[in-house]
Amino acid sequence: MKLQVIANKVETEEDLAFVREQVKDGLLTWFGRSDYVRAMEKGDVLPFTSLEAGAHSALTAMKRAVDNCQQDWDKFYHQAVEFHRRNALAWMNTYPGEDVTTQIAPDFSLSTLLTSLSL
């Protein structure tokens, strides 16, 4: 898997040149200042069609990159299980007062589930 950079808060061509100089061909896309995002941060819910063209292009590039990645669903599932197990032992078990690692289904297969759903 190739690591790619998504730059944020790019305001000038100099900002973009700096990022490109630092990451070379690792730059996937970038976001500039967004009135849409600022409005959302202030609680103004705007229609997605209000998103600036540059931000929309960046999101499209990100989605295309993710869609083109080979997915190792079993690895993803095992990582999620390990994350759940570590958090359960570190702090999660204290809230319900029981071992929440029992929620982990040992025979579950994410790849089998996704195949059955035709995803």
Side-chain angles (χ1 to χ4, degrees):
M1 178 170 89
K2 179 181 175 186
L3 182 64
Q4 293 184 295
V5 174
I6 300 164
N8 190 25
K9 300 179 183 175
V10 173
E11 294 189 20
T12 65
E13 285 299 319
E14 291 80 25
D15 291 343
L16 189 55
F18 174 80
V19 172
R20 284 187 168 134
E21 179 182 321
Q22 300 303 308
V23 301
K24 310 294 184 236
D25 65 343
L27 181 63
L28 174 65
T29 190
W30 64 92
F31 288 89
R33 186 184 182 292
S34 171
D35 290 334
Y36 177 87
V37 171
R38 291 287 296 145
M40 296 289 277
E41 289 172 341
K42 294 176 182 177
D44 296 332
V45 179
L46 302 175
F48 191 66
T49 54
S50 299
L51 182 67
E52 295 86 359
H56 190 272
S57 295
L59 291 173
T60 300
M62 292 166 57
K63 182 178 184 317
R64 185 173 34 254
V66 169
D67 288 346
N68 289 329
C69 285
Q70 184 177 2
Q71 310 298 333
D72 185 343
W73 297 112
D74 289 325
K75 180 178 179 180
F76 292 163
Y77 177 69
H78 291 295
Q79 288 173 334
V81 166
E82 186 56 31
F83 180 79
H84 182 75
R85 187 181 317 280
R86 274 193 249 149
N87 283 306
L89 296 174
W91 61 272
M92 263 193 307
N93 287 342
T94 59
Y95 291 100
E98 62 184 70
D99 183 4
V100 296
T101 62
T102 60
Q103 298 169 342
I104 299 168
D107 298 327
F108 179 78
S109 168
L110 187 55
S111 59
T112 301
L113 173 65
L114 293 172
T115 301
S116 71
L117 296 174
S118 300
L119 297 178

